Amino acid sequence: MFTSRQLLEKLVAFDTTSRESNLALIDFVWRYLSDLGVSSELIHNAERSKANLYARLGPAGDGGVMLSGHSDVVPVDGQNWSVPPFALTECDGKLYGRGTADMKGYIACMLAAVPHFLAQPLIQPLHLAISYDEEVGCLGVRTLLDALAQRPEKPAICLIGEPTELQPVLGHKGKLGMRCEVKGAACHSAYAPQGVNAIEYAARLIQQLTAIGERMAQHPDARFDPPFTTVQTGIISGGRALNIVPAECAFDFEVRTLPQDDAQAIAAELDAFAQAELLPRMQAIAADSAIRFYPISGYPGLLTDAKSEAARLIAYLTQSSDFSTVAFGTEGGLFHQAGIPSVICGPGSMAQGHKPDEFISIAQLEACDAMLQRLAAWMSQ
Protein backbone atom coordinates (compact mmCIF):
# COMPACT_ATOMS: atom_id res chain seq x y z
CA MET A 1 0.00 0.00 0.00
CA PHE A 2 1.13 3.51 -0.84
CA THR A 3 0.42 6.58 1.24
CA SER A 4 -1.04 9.67 -0.40
CA ARG A 5 2.32 11.40 -0.02
CA GLN A 6 4.13 8.55 -1.79
CA LEU A 7 1.60 8.57 -4.59
CA LEU A 8 1.80 12.34 -4.93
CA GLU A 9 5.56 12.05 -5.39
CA LYS A 10 5.01 9.66 -8.29
CA LEU A 11 2.24 11.75 -9.87
CA VAL A 12 4.17 15.03 -9.73
CA ALA A 13 7.08 13.37 -11.56
CA PHE A 14 4.93 13.07 -14.69
CA ASP A 15 4.99 16.25 -16.77
CA THR A 16 1.32 16.42 -17.68
CA THR A 17 1.26 20.04 -18.82
CA SER A 18 -1.80 20.28 -21.05
CA ARG A 19 0.29 20.52 -24.22
CA GLU A 20 1.91 17.16 -23.35
CA SER A 21 0.50 13.63 -23.29
CA ASN A 22 -0.85 12.30 -19.99
CA LEU A 23 -0.55 8.65 -21.02
CA ALA A 24 2.45 7.86 -18.80
CA LEU A 25 0.54 9.00 -15.73
CA ILE A 26 -2.61 7.18 -16.82
CA ASP A 27 -0.61 3.99 -17.39
CA PHE A 28 0.82 4.27 -13.88
CA VAL A 29 -2.67 4.64 -12.40
CA TRP A 30 -3.99 1.78 -14.53
CA ARG A 31 -1.22 -0.51 -13.27
CA TYR A 32 -1.68 0.62 -9.67
CA LEU A 33 -5.39 -0.17 -9.77
CA SER A 34 -4.80 -3.42 -11.62
CA ASP A 35 -2.42 -4.58 -8.89
CA LEU A 36 -5.27 -4.01 -6.43
CA GLY A 37 -7.65 -6.06 -8.56
CA VAL A 38 -9.54 -3.06 -9.96
CA SER A 39 -10.02 -2.92 -13.71
CA SER A 40 -9.94 0.44 -15.49
CA GLU A 41 -11.24 1.71 -18.79
CA LEU A 42 -9.33 4.23 -20.90
CA ILE A 43 -11.21 6.69 -23.09
CA HIS A 44 -8.74 8.25 -25.55
CA ASN A 45 -8.82 11.43 -27.55
CA ALA A 46 -9.02 11.19 -31.34
CA GLU A 47 -5.21 11.20 -31.71
CA ARG A 48 -4.84 8.61 -28.93
CA SER A 49 -2.22 10.86 -27.32
CA LYS A 50 -4.26 11.41 -24.14
CA ALA A 51 -6.84 9.49 -22.18
CA ASN A 52 -9.42 9.68 -19.43
CA LEU A 53 -9.40 6.81 -16.93
CA TYR A 54 -12.61 5.42 -15.49
CA ALA A 55 -12.95 2.67 -12.91
CA ARG A 56 -15.58 1.43 -10.49
CA LEU A 57 -15.52 -0.91 -7.54
CA GLY A 58 -18.01 -2.24 -5.05
CA PRO A 59 -21.41 -3.71 -5.89
CA ALA A 60 -23.09 -3.55 -9.28
CA GLY A 61 -26.05 -1.27 -9.78
CA ASP A 62 -26.99 2.34 -10.30
CA GLY A 63 -25.96 5.21 -8.05
CA GLY A 64 -22.95 5.55 -5.83
CA VAL A 65 -20.33 8.25 -5.59
CA MET A 66 -17.77 9.35 -8.16
CA LEU A 67 -14.40 10.81 -7.17
CA SER A 68 -13.09 12.90 -10.04
CA GLY A 69 -9.94 14.87 -10.79
CA HIS A 70 -7.98 16.15 -13.78
CA SER A 71 -4.47 14.96 -14.58
CA ASP A 72 -3.22 17.97 -16.54
CA VAL A 73 -1.37 20.94 -15.08
CA VAL A 74 -0.55 24.45 -16.27
CA PRO A 75 2.88 25.32 -17.73
CA VAL A 76 5.88 26.37 -15.66
CA ASP A 77 7.37 28.40 -18.53
CA GLY A 78 8.61 31.82 -17.45
CA GLN A 79 8.04 31.11 -13.75
CA ASN A 80 10.83 31.46 -11.24
CA TRP A 81 10.81 28.18 -9.27
CA SER A 82 13.18 27.67 -6.35
CA VAL A 83 12.62 23.88 -6.48
CA PRO A 84 12.31 21.44 -9.40
CA PRO A 85 8.68 21.71 -10.56
CA PHE A 86 8.35 18.04 -11.54
CA ALA A 87 9.88 16.52 -8.43
CA LEU A 88 8.30 16.56 -4.99
CA THR A 89 10.19 18.68 -2.45
CA GLU A 90 9.27 18.70 1.24
CA CYS A 91 9.99 21.68 3.47
CA ASP A 92 8.37 22.84 6.73
CA GLY A 93 5.34 20.60 6.39
CA LYS A 94 4.70 21.57 2.78
CA LEU A 95 5.07 19.52 -0.41
CA TYR A 96 6.21 21.55 -3.42
CA GLY A 97 5.77 20.71 -7.09
CA ARG A 98 3.60 21.52 -10.08
CA GLY A 99 0.12 20.14 -9.57
CA THR A 100 0.46 19.42 -5.85
CA ALA A 101 -2.55 21.63 -5.13
CA ASP A 102 -4.21 21.67 -8.55
CA MET A 103 -4.95 18.82 -8.37
CA LYS A 104 -2.67 15.81 -8.06
CA GLY A 105 -2.86 16.02 -4.27
CA TYR A 106 -6.51 15.00 -4.44
CA ILE A 107 -5.82 12.27 -6.99
CA ALA A 108 -3.10 10.89 -4.71
CA CYS A 109 -5.55 10.75 -1.79
CA MET A 110 -8.17 9.18 -4.04
CA LEU A 111 -5.79 6.42 -5.12
CA ALA A 112 -4.40 5.88 -1.62
CA ALA A 113 -7.96 5.33 -0.38
CA VAL A 114 -8.74 2.53 -2.86
CA PRO A 115 -7.42 -0.30 -0.60
CA HIS A 116 -9.53 1.08 2.24
CA PHE A 117 -12.66 1.12 0.06
CA LEU A 118 -11.91 -2.43 -1.10
CA ALA A 119 -11.75 -3.57 2.52
CA GLN A 120 -15.19 -2.13 3.33
CA PRO A 121 -18.57 -3.85 2.80
CA LEU A 122 -19.71 -1.20 0.32
CA ILE A 123 -23.43 -1.19 -0.36
CA GLN A 124 -23.13 1.23 -3.29
CA PRO A 125 -20.49 1.54 -6.01
CA LEU A 126 -17.49 3.85 -5.96
CA HIS A 127 -16.60 5.43 -9.30
CA LEU A 128 -13.16 6.88 -10.08
CA ALA A 129 -12.45 9.31 -12.91
CA ILE A 130 -9.26 11.03 -14.03
CA SER A 131 -9.55 13.39 -17.00
CA TYR A 132 -7.25 15.30 -19.34
CA ASP A 133 -7.22 18.87 -20.71
CA GLU A 134 -9.27 20.46 -17.94
CA GLU A 135 -6.93 23.45 -17.82
CA VAL A 136 -7.62 24.35 -21.47
CA GLY A 137 -11.41 24.41 -21.32
CA CYS A 138 -12.63 21.24 -19.59
CA LEU A 139 -12.20 19.40 -22.88
CA GLY A 140 -11.20 15.82 -22.06
CA VAL A 141 -13.93 14.96 -19.57
CA ARG A 142 -16.59 15.43 -22.26
CA THR A 143 -15.74 12.11 -23.94
CA LEU A 144 -15.90 10.40 -20.54
CA LEU A 145 -19.34 11.86 -19.95
CA ASP A 146 -20.41 10.78 -23.44
CA ALA A 147 -19.38 7.22 -22.56
CA LEU A 148 -21.23 7.32 -19.23
CA ALA A 149 -24.36 8.62 -20.97
CA GLN A 150 -24.58 5.35 -22.94
CA ARG A 151 -24.73 3.26 -19.77
CA PRO A 152 -27.73 2.47 -17.60
CA GLU A 153 -25.71 2.69 -14.37
CA LYS A 154 -24.44 6.14 -13.43
CA PRO A 155 -23.13 7.67 -10.21
CA ALA A 156 -25.64 9.60 -8.14
CA ILE A 157 -23.11 12.16 -6.85
CA CYS A 158 -19.76 13.46 -8.09
CA LEU A 159 -17.13 14.80 -5.70
CA ILE A 160 -14.59 16.89 -7.63
CA GLY A 161 -11.46 17.50 -5.62
CA GLU A 162 -10.36 20.91 -6.82
CA PRO A 163 -8.41 22.72 -4.08
CA THR A 164 -10.84 24.35 -1.64
CA GLU A 165 -8.90 23.67 1.59
CA LEU A 166 -11.51 20.92 2.09
CA GLN A 167 -14.30 23.45 2.44
CA PRO A 168 -17.61 22.44 0.79
CA VAL A 169 -18.29 24.34 -2.44
CA LEU A 170 -21.58 24.11 -4.31
CA GLY A 171 -21.11 26.58 -7.11
CA HIS A 172 -18.95 28.41 -9.61
CA LYS A 173 -19.43 30.57 -12.67
CA GLY A 174 -19.58 29.35 -16.24
CA LYS A 175 -17.29 30.59 -19.00
CA LEU A 176 -17.50 31.28 -22.71
CA GLY A 177 -14.41 32.30 -24.69
CA MET A 178 -14.99 33.78 -28.17
CA ARG A 179 -12.92 35.20 -31.03
CA CYS A 180 -14.24 37.98 -33.25
CA GLU A 181 -12.66 38.58 -36.66
CA VAL A 182 -13.46 41.85 -38.44
CA LYS A 183 -12.76 42.11 -42.19
CA GLY A 184 -12.69 45.63 -43.58
CA ALA A 185 -11.11 47.23 -46.64
CA ALA A 186 -7.63 48.71 -46.86
CA CYS A 187 -6.65 51.99 -48.52
CA HIS A 188 -4.09 54.73 -48.09
CA SER A 189 -4.72 56.50 -44.80
CA ALA A 190 -4.82 59.85 -46.62
CA TYR A 191 -8.11 58.64 -48.09
CA ALA A 192 -9.38 56.95 -44.94
CA PRO A 193 -13.12 57.43 -45.65
CA GLN A 194 -12.72 55.26 -48.78
CA GLY A 195 -11.69 52.26 -46.67
CA VAL A 196 -13.31 50.24 -43.88
CA ASN A 197 -11.20 50.50 -40.73
CA ALA A 198 -11.41 47.04 -39.13
CA ILE A 199 -9.79 48.25 -35.89
CA GLU A 200 -12.31 51.03 -35.45
CA TYR A 201 -15.24 48.67 -36.00
CA ALA A 202 -13.68 46.16 -33.60
CA ALA A 203 -13.42 48.99 -31.07
CA ARG A 204 -17.17 49.63 -31.44
CA LEU A 205 -17.84 45.97 -30.78
CA ILE A 206 -15.62 46.07 -27.69
CA GLN A 207 -17.41 49.20 -26.52
CA GLN A 208 -20.71 47.34 -26.90
CA LEU A 209 -19.28 44.44 -24.87
CA THR A 210 -18.33 46.88 -22.14
CA ALA A 211 -21.90 48.22 -22.09
CA ILE A 212 -23.28 44.68 -21.83
CA GLY A 213 -20.92 44.00 -18.92
CA GLU A 214 -22.05 47.17 -17.14
CA ARG A 215 -25.66 46.08 -17.55
CA MET A 216 -24.93 42.60 -16.19
CA ALA A 217 -23.30 44.16 -13.12
CA GLN A 218 -26.71 45.58 -12.18
CA HIS A 219 -27.99 42.06 -11.37
CA PRO A 220 -25.73 40.81 -8.55
CA ASP A 221 -25.77 37.50 -6.71
CA ALA A 222 -23.97 37.86 -3.39
CA ARG A 223 -23.07 34.15 -3.33
CA PHE A 224 -20.34 34.80 -5.94
CA ASP A 225 -17.21 36.94 -6.13
CA PRO A 226 -17.41 39.11 -8.18
CA PRO A 227 -21.17 38.98 -7.52
CA PHE A 228 -22.23 39.40 -11.16
CA THR A 229 -21.54 38.11 -14.68
CA THR A 230 -18.36 39.68 -16.07
CA VAL A 231 -17.35 40.47 -19.67
CA GLN A 232 -13.82 41.33 -20.72
CA THR A 233 -11.62 41.57 -23.82
CA GLY A 234 -8.25 39.90 -23.35
CA ILE A 235 -6.41 39.95 -26.70
CA ILE A 236 -6.56 42.21 -29.77
CA SER A 237 -4.49 42.42 -32.95
CA GLY A 238 -4.77 44.25 -36.25
CA GLY A 239 -3.20 46.64 -38.71
CA ARG A 240 -0.03 46.54 -40.79
CA ALA A 241 1.22 50.12 -40.99
CA LEU A 242 0.15 53.51 -39.68
CA ASN A 243 -0.49 54.88 -43.17
CA ILE A 244 -2.74 51.98 -44.20
CA VAL A 245 -6.38 51.76 -43.16
CA PRO A 246 -6.43 48.30 -41.54
CA ALA A 247 -8.43 45.61 -43.32
CA GLU A 248 -8.21 43.05 -40.51
CA CYS A 249 -8.66 43.04 -36.78
CA ALA A 250 -9.32 40.20 -34.36
CA PHE A 251 -10.00 40.17 -30.65
CA ASP A 252 -10.73 37.51 -28.04
CA PHE A 253 -13.24 38.07 -25.27
CA GLU A 254 -14.67 36.01 -22.46
CA VAL A 255 -17.90 35.96 -20.51
CA ARG A 256 -17.91 34.51 -16.99
CA THR A 257 -21.52 33.98 -16.11
CA LEU A 258 -23.48 33.43 -12.95
CA PRO A 259 -25.06 29.96 -13.26
CA GLN A 260 -28.46 31.53 -13.93
CA ASP A 261 -27.17 33.71 -16.81
CA ASP A 262 -26.72 32.62 -20.43
CA ALA A 263 -23.33 33.32 -22.00
CA GLN A 264 -24.59 32.32 -25.45
CA ALA A 265 -27.31 34.96 -25.18
CA ILE A 266 -24.64 37.61 -24.58
CA ALA A 267 -22.65 36.42 -27.60
CA ALA A 268 -25.85 36.43 -29.67
CA GLU A 269 -26.63 40.00 -28.55
CA LEU A 270 -23.19 41.17 -29.71
CA ASP A 271 -23.65 39.37 -33.03
CA ALA A 272 -27.05 41.00 -33.50
CA PHE A 273 -25.50 44.42 -32.84
CA ALA A 274 -22.82 43.68 -35.43
CA GLN A 275 -25.33 42.57 -38.06
CA ALA A 276 -27.82 45.39 -37.52
CA GLU A 277 -25.62 48.38 -36.65
CA LEU A 278 -22.15 47.86 -38.08
CA LEU A 279 -22.21 45.61 -41.12
CA PRO A 280 -24.60 47.77 -43.19
CA ARG A 281 -22.23 50.75 -42.81
CA MET A 282 -19.19 48.61 -43.61
CA GLN A 283 -20.74 46.92 -46.63
CA ALA A 284 -21.97 50.23 -48.04
CA ILE A 285 -18.27 50.99 -48.64
CA ALA A 286 -16.92 47.47 -49.30
CA ALA A 287 -19.46 44.75 -50.02
CA ASP A 288 -17.23 41.91 -48.81
CA SER A 289 -16.77 43.38 -45.33
CA ALA A 290 -17.60 40.86 -42.60
CA ILE A 291 -17.77 40.28 -38.85
CA ARG A 292 -17.46 36.67 -37.73
CA PHE A 293 -17.50 35.04 -34.31
CA TYR A 294 -15.86 31.73 -33.36
CA PRO A 295 -16.03 29.84 -30.05
CA ILE A 296 -12.71 29.20 -28.31
CA SER A 297 -13.74 27.43 -25.12
CA GLY A 298 -16.55 27.17 -22.65
CA TYR A 299 -18.11 25.29 -19.80
CA PRO A 300 -21.32 25.69 -17.80
CA GLY A 301 -21.57 27.10 -14.32
CA LEU A 302 -22.54 25.07 -11.28
CA LEU A 303 -25.00 25.76 -8.50
CA THR A 304 -25.97 22.63 -6.59
CA ASP A 305 -29.04 22.83 -4.38
CA ALA A 306 -28.01 23.24 -0.73
CA LYS A 307 -30.79 20.80 0.23
CA SER A 308 -29.73 18.09 -2.22
CA GLU A 309 -28.30 14.71 -1.30
CA ALA A 310 -24.95 15.81 -2.75
CA ALA A 311 -24.88 18.84 -0.45
CA ARG A 312 -25.88 16.79 2.57
CA LEU A 313 -23.11 14.29 1.83
CA ILE A 314 -20.35 16.87 1.50
CA ALA A 315 -21.59 18.58 4.68
CA TYR A 316 -21.27 15.23 6.48
CA LEU A 317 -17.83 14.52 5.04
CA THR A 318 -16.42 17.95 5.84
CA GLN A 319 -18.42 18.31 9.05
CA SER A 320 -19.50 21.72 7.79
CA SER A 321 -22.59 23.13 6.10
CA ASP A 322 -20.89 26.47 5.50
CA PHE A 323 -21.32 26.17 1.73
CA SER A 324 -19.57 28.62 -0.56
CA THR A 325 -18.70 29.23 -4.21
CA VAL A 326 -15.38 29.67 -6.02
CA ALA A 327 -14.31 32.09 -8.75
CA PHE A 328 -12.52 29.49 -10.88
CA GLY A 329 -14.27 27.00 -13.13
CA THR A 330 -14.35 23.22 -12.82
CA GLU A 331 -15.70 20.17 -14.60
CA GLY A 332 -18.58 20.19 -12.10
CA GLY A 333 -20.93 22.07 -14.38
CA LEU A 334 -20.48 19.44 -17.10
CA PHE A 335 -21.13 16.57 -14.66
CA HIS A 336 -24.21 18.38 -13.37
CA GLN A 337 -25.38 19.02 -16.95
CA ALA A 338 -25.01 15.28 -17.59
CA GLY A 339 -27.39 14.53 -14.73
CA ILE A 340 -24.77 13.82 -12.04
CA PRO A 341 -25.15 16.33 -9.15
CA SER A 342 -21.72 17.62 -8.21
CA VAL A 343 -19.91 19.31 -5.36
CA ILE A 344 -16.38 20.70 -5.19
CA CYS A 345 -14.10 19.85 -2.28
CA GLY A 346 -10.41 19.02 -2.20
CA PRO A 347 -7.14 19.56 -0.36
CA GLY A 348 -4.90 22.54 -0.85
CA SER A 349 -5.70 26.06 -1.95
CA MET A 350 -6.05 27.62 -5.39
CA ALA A 351 -4.08 30.52 -3.92
CA GLN A 352 -1.06 28.30 -4.65
CA GLY A 353 -2.38 26.93 -7.95
CA HIS A 354 -0.79 28.07 -11.25
CA LYS A 355 2.05 29.83 -9.39
CA PRO A 356 5.77 29.08 -9.05
CA ASP A 357 6.60 26.95 -6.01
CA GLU A 358 3.08 25.54 -5.91
CA PHE A 359 2.55 23.49 -2.76
CA ILE A 360 0.13 21.55 -0.63
CA SER A 361 0.51 21.04 3.10
CA ILE A 362 0.95 17.54 4.51
CA ALA A 363 -1.84 18.39 6.96
CA GLN A 364 -4.25 18.95 4.05
CA LEU A 365 -3.35 15.59 2.52
CA GLU A 366 -3.92 13.85 5.84
CA ALA A 367 -7.25 15.63 6.30
CA CYS A 368 -8.33 14.54 2.82
CA ASP A 369 -7.33 10.95 3.63
CA ALA A 370 -9.57 11.14 6.71
CA MET A 371 -12.44 12.58 4.69
CA LEU A 372 -12.31 9.72 2.19
CA GLN A 373 -12.28 7.21 5.04
CA ARG A 374 -15.49 8.83 6.31
CA LEU A 375 -16.89 8.44 2.81
CA ALA A 376 -16.04 4.70 2.81
CA ALA A 377 -17.85 4.30 6.13
CA TRP A 378 -20.89 6.22 4.82
CA MET A 379 -21.02 4.06 1.68
CA SER A 380 -20.97 0.91 3.85
CA GLN A 381 -23.93 1.89 6.05
Side-chain angles (χ1 to χ4, degrees):
M1 290 178 57
F2 289 96
T3 65
S4 55
R5 186 211 181 283
Q6 290 169 330
L7 286 163
L8 180 57
E9 184 171 16
K10 295 180 180 296
L11 295 175
V12 167
F14 295 105
D15 179 356
T16 53
T17 305
S18 301
R19 64 187 175 221
E20 308 291 344
S21 171
N22 74 333
L23 291 183
L25 180 147
I26 291 295
D27 180 68
F28 166 77
V29 175
W30 184 91
R31 292 177 184 278
Y32 170 83
L33 292 175
S34 180
D35 289 344
L36 294 172
V38 177
S39 60
S40 305
E41 177 181 354
L42 303 188
I43 302 166
H44 290 85
N45 63 352
E47 299 77 21
R48 299 191 69 81
S49 59
K50 299 181 181 182
N52 301 297
L53 180 143
Y54 170 72
R56 61 173 286 163
L57 53 100
D62 204 17
V65 178
M66 170 172 276
L67 305 179
S68 179
H70 64 81
S71 61
D72 60 316
V73 298
V74 297
V76 299
D77 307 49
Q79 294 186 340
N80 185 22
W81 284 71
S82 65
V83 296
F86 296 107
L88 199 66
T89 301
E90 181 177 345
C91 182
D92 296 331
K94 299 174 182 177
L95 301 171
Y96 292 84
R98 174 56 89 218
T100 48
D102 183 21
M103 57 183 295
K104 291 179 177 179
Y106 175 73
I107 295 175
C109 293
M110 185 173 88
L111 296 176
V114 170
H116 186 72
F117 279 97
L118 290 171
Q120 304 304 306
L122 300 179
I123 60 173
Q124 51 184 308
L126 176 73
H127 306 254
L128 305 175
I130 299 175
S131 65
Y132 65 90
D133 282 1
E134 187 272 351
E135 296 287 6
V136 290
C138 298
L139 301 181
V141 75
R142 298 168 196 258
T143 56
L144 170 62
L145 290 171
D146 288 343
L148 287 177
Q150 306 303 314
R151 303 175 188 190
E153 300 176 348
K154 300 180 182 65
I157 297 170
C158 182
L159 172 55
I160 298 174
E162 292 279 4
T164 68
E165 296 185 291
L166 295 172
Q167 298 304 303
V169 167
L170 301 187
H172 63 74
K173 292 182 178 181
K175 176 185 174 181
L176 175 65
M178 298 285 292
R179 175 164 296 151
C180 176
E181 294 182 354
V182 180
K183 181 179 183 296
C187 71
H188 194 291
S189 63
Y191 305 95
Q194 298 176 14
V196 177
N197 191 313
I199 291 178
E200 291 182 0
Y201 279 98
R204 296 183 192 186
L205 287 163
I206 294 170
Q207 186 178 33
Q208 183 68 11
L209 269 176
T210 301
I212 293 172
E214 290 172 348
R215 188 185 76 227
M216 301 305 293
Q218 297 172 13
H219 304 281
D221 184 334
R223 292 172 295 183
F224 292 86
D225 182 22
F228 46 81
T229 289
T230 59
V231 183
Q232 74 100 22
T233 303
I235 300 175
I236 187 168
S237 63
R240 297 179 182 274
L242 184 57
N243 61 353
I244 302 174
V245 170
E248 305 94 12
C249 185
F251 63 92
D252 294 352
F253 66 94
E254 69 168 19
V255 183
R256 291 187 179 262
T257 53
L258 297 171
Q260 60 267 35
D261 290 341
D262 185 355
Q264 293 291 346
I266 292 173
E269 180 180 345
L270 185 65
D271 186 32
F273 172 78
Q275 301 298 324
E277 300 294 331
L278 303 185
L279 267 179
R281 301 181 204 173
M282 297 166 66
Q283 292 177 344
I285 299 171
D288 63 343
S289 297
I291 298 175
R292 301 185 179 90
F293 296 92
Y294 304 93
I296 299 172
S297 63
Y299 51 77
L302 174 70
L303 190 57
T304 299
D305 188 341
K307 297 180 181 179
S308 65
E309 182 184 3
R312 291 196 301 271
L313 173 60
I314 198 61
Y316 165 73
L317 295 179
T318 60
Q319 302 175 332
S320 171
S321 58
D322 185 15
F323 302 130
S324 63
T325 64
V326 289
F328 57 85
T330 79
E331 296 168 335
L334 290 166
F335 276 101
H336 199 88
Q337 199 174 66
I340 306 172
S342 301
V343 293
I344 314 301
C345 183
S349 170
M350 195 57 85
Q352 279 75 54
H354 298 204
K355 293 181 179 179
D357 289 351
E358 178 181 350
F359 72 84
I360 191 170
S361 71
I362 294 174
Q364 281 280 295
L365 279 187
E366 292 174 345
C368 187
D369 290 336
M371 182 184 77
L372 294 180
Q373 289 183 13
R374 286 195 293 276
L375 175 62
W378 180 84
M379 294 178 67
S380 303
Q381 293 174 359

